[in-house]
Structures are given as C-alpha cells and as structure tokens.
Amino acid sequence: MQEKVNLPITGIASFAKYPIHTDLTTLDADIAVIGVPYDLGTAYMNGSKFGPRRIREVSCHYGRGDAGFYDPDYDEQLLAAPIRVVDCGDVDMVPANVEESFANIEAAIRMILDRGALPAVMGGDHSITIPVARALDRFKDLVVIQFDAHLDWTYAAGGQKYTNGSPMRRMSEMSHIGDMFQIGIRGLGSSRRSDFEDARKYGSTIITARQASKMTPDEVLALIPDGAQYYVTIDIDGYDLSIASGVGSPSPGGLSYNWETEVLEGIARKGEVVAFDMVEVAPQYDPTGVTPRVAAMTMLDFMGHIMLNRR
C-alpha cells in the first residue's frame, strides 16, 4: 500500500497537523498547543476569538510530523521525534462571562503544567494572558517578556480590570511575577503618561519600537537575565503593520519578523521558557491571510528553539 501523502489540504486542521489530544488528564507531550477563542476584553475592533481557528488552518501548510523542520540558519532539525507536540483543542468559553471563561483558562493551563508539558497558547485578545499568568504561580520571580505595540498597563477602563489593555498591570499585581521586559512599544497616545510612569516604577524595562530598530537582537538579549524562567507573551501587533494587518489595534512602525524571532530564539537559549502565548490575531481584517501565517511561523520557530535548547 502506498504511503499516505498527508497533504496540507487533507484531514482535520489541527495546529501544524499535530495529533489532537483534548483530554488534559491523560496528556503526554512536550508541548501542548491550546486555543483560547475569547475577545470579550476588546474595546473596539474585536474578532480575535477567530484567531486560533485561522492559525490552525494556515499552519497545516507547515505540517512536517515526526520529521520536524530543518532550520538552515542553525543547521538543526527542529521539533523532530521523539519530541511530542499535540493540539489540545480549545478552552471552553462561556458567552459574556469573564469570570467563568478566565477560570476555565487558568484550570486548563494548570492541568497542562501538571502533566509536564509546555503550554503554547493561541488567543484570543490579550486579556487571556491574565488567567494564563495566574496559572503559573508555581514559578517564583517569573520573568515576563512582552512583544507588543502597546504597553497594556491600563488600570481599569470604566471599572473593568480585565481588558486587553491591562494584562501587564494585572501581572504586576501577582506575587510570583518578577522582572518585565516590554519590547516594540509605540504609537502616539496608545497609553497614558501615568501608565508609563507606573510601569517604570514597577521596574519594567521598556524598549520602544524605535529604540529596538537601533539595537541588535543581542543587545536586547543582554538586558534580560540569564538562567531565569520566562513567560513570553507575543501580541501579533508588535510586528509591523505591513506583515500583521489582521489585528485589533494596528500600528505602523513595528518589529520585523527576522528581528523578533531572533530575540525569541535567544530567549530560548538563555533560560527556561515555561509558557508562551500568541494573541490578538483577528483574521477578518487581513483578507490576504498573512497575519495568521506569521503567527503560526513565529510559534513553530519559537517552539523549535525552546525544545532544541532543552535537549
């Protein structure tokens, strides 16, 4: 019998065509990809709840299975067997219920960690980072690295503390969160002066997109402590608008794909990445499909280098 070709267009659209395993109580994997189709935290251009589904669909183009991916820059085969990656489906969302949805997110991440896997989370708007971070309280002095156009340090817009503009402030209130590095920040008026003052008072290192454009990836990496445990939160709008237009808060003057992924690869070398998320992909604003493709490739590249350095 001829070997199955398994074209990208065939089969169920799991992330990069990895096996589907939705029962977290029996999870046995190195990396657990999980979707969070939630955008109740969005104040204006919503639709990021469709991000996980669209990222999965385009990621099938890159499915390589046990063979993994050859990286010509490093001359390494990434994510090859015996490394195990599975798609755990989506966290259950409760319509119009922030508390219940957040509780489900936190519980799912805790279960993944209990099973010894790395959570690779697909949002959803950036507020989902709040319950993910809550679930990481087994790690102490956790270093948070954010790639984003926006500071996300809003206190409570209209009294609502759990929006996509507030995850970094909410994390600063968690006792297990340590140093923060916020990379790619830009946009006139995207945050108030008082938000920047509060972030700096906390001790956050803020690298604007314009500053980043004058720095090499190694210069940025030199600011991040070695040998730490890291939670990396990647807002797709940290990339320049030219390669990531399918977002809820688009902003020109952002980071390039090669620059950002080189920093991510360096983070994987410096210490232990305990979780990461990819948020704010809103595919309906990008009919070309480039934005979810950039998201999928960023995730695969980062996952590959995390596991390469764990090896």
Side-chain angles (χ1 to χ4, degrees):
M1 183 177 178
Q2 184 178 1
E3 183 180 356
K4 191 174 182 180
V5 177
N6 195 24
L7 289 172
I9 200 65
T10 63
I12 297 171
S14 64
F15 182 80
K17 305 202 78 169
Y18 282 115
I20 298 170
H21 190 100
T22 58
D23 181 0
L24 298 182
T25 64
T26 60
L27 178 64
D28 182 17
D30 297 296
I31 300 176
V33 178
I34 191 162
V36 183
Y38 174 97
D39 62 6
L40 290 179
T42 305
Y44 184 45
M45 295 170 66
N46 62 2
S48 57
K49 64 185 176 184
F50 298 109
R53 181 161 294 188
R54 185 62 179 137
I55 293 171
R56 284 190 176 99
E57 184 180 349
V58 299
S59 73
C60 289
H61 193 178
Y62 307 110
R64 298 295 182 270
D66 288 345
F69 304 81
Y70 177 67
D71 187 331
D73 288 313
Y74 290 83
D75 191 25
E76 291 280 1
Q77 199 75 12
L78 305 179
L79 297 178
I83 293 170
R84 300 157 299 166
V85 181
V86 300
D87 188 332
C88 295
D90 294 328
V91 177
D92 193 42
M93 297 288 99
V94 183
N97 192 321
V98 177
E99 291 77 13
E100 200 67 29
S101 296
F102 274 25
N104 289 348
I105 297 167
E106 181 178 347
I109 301 306
R110 289 187 184 278
M111 292 179 72
I112 290 171
L113 292 170
D114 287 343
R115 299 296 299 179
L118 169 79
V121 184
M122 299 183 293
D125 73 52
H126 213 159
S127 68
I128 71 155
T129 295
I130 299 168
V132 173
R134 288 173 179 168
L136 303 177
D137 59 0
R138 68 191 66 197
F139 307 104
K140 304 304 177 186
D141 295 319
L142 190 60
V143 175
V144 176
I145 304 167
Q146 171 200 20
F147 293 85
D148 203 325
H150 309 97
L151 193 69
D152 290 352
W153 211 278
T154 302
Y155 180 70
Q160 174 54 263
K161 298 175 68 175
Y162 304 119
T163 71
N164 66 346
S166 61
M168 304 307 288
R169 187 183 286 271
R170 297 287 85 83
M171 280 194 285
S172 75
E173 299 164 350
M174 301 178 191
S175 61
H176 61 287
I177 299 298
D179 294 337
M180 286 189 187
F181 296 84
Q182 300 180 261
I183 305 169
I185 310 303
R186 63 189 186 276
L188 295 175
S190 66
S191 293
R192 297 177 301 179
R193 179 188 294 271
S194 60
D195 294 336
F196 277 89
E197 291 171 346
D198 289 346
R200 292 188 175 108
K201 184 177 179 180
Y202 174 81
S204 179
T205 299
I206 301 170
I207 302 172
T208 68
R210 188 168 293 182
Q211 290 169 336
S213 70
K214 300 172 184 176
M215 302 173 71
T216 66
D218 284 342
E219 287 172 330
V220 172
L221 289 165
L223 301 174
I224 299 171
D226 292 327
Q229 292 177 312
Y230 311 115
Y231 172 31
V232 182
T233 177
I234 307 167
D235 188 325
I236 193 73
D237 69 28
Y239 283 125
D240 188 67
L241 180 59
S242 62
I243 63 168
S245 61
V247 300
S249 301
S251 179
L255 308 174
S256 74
Y257 177 83
N258 284 341
W259 190 95
E260 183 169 324
T261 53
E262 193 168 338
V263 176
L264 288 168
E265 292 158 7
I267 292 167
R269 290 193 299 272
K270 287 177 74 71
E272 180 188 6
V273 178
V274 301
F276 78 88
D277 64 49
M278 168 63 72
V279 297
E280 295 287 350
V281 173
Q284 70 274 29
Y285 303 123
D286 180 5
T288 69
V290 170
T291 306
R293 191 170 291 272
V294 169
M297 286 302 295
T298 302
M299 290 179 65
L300 285 166
D301 186 89
F302 195 28
M303 290 160 56
H305 284 273
I306 290 169
M307 297 312 301
L308 174 66
N309 288 281
R310 284 191 178 184
R311 183 188 68 186

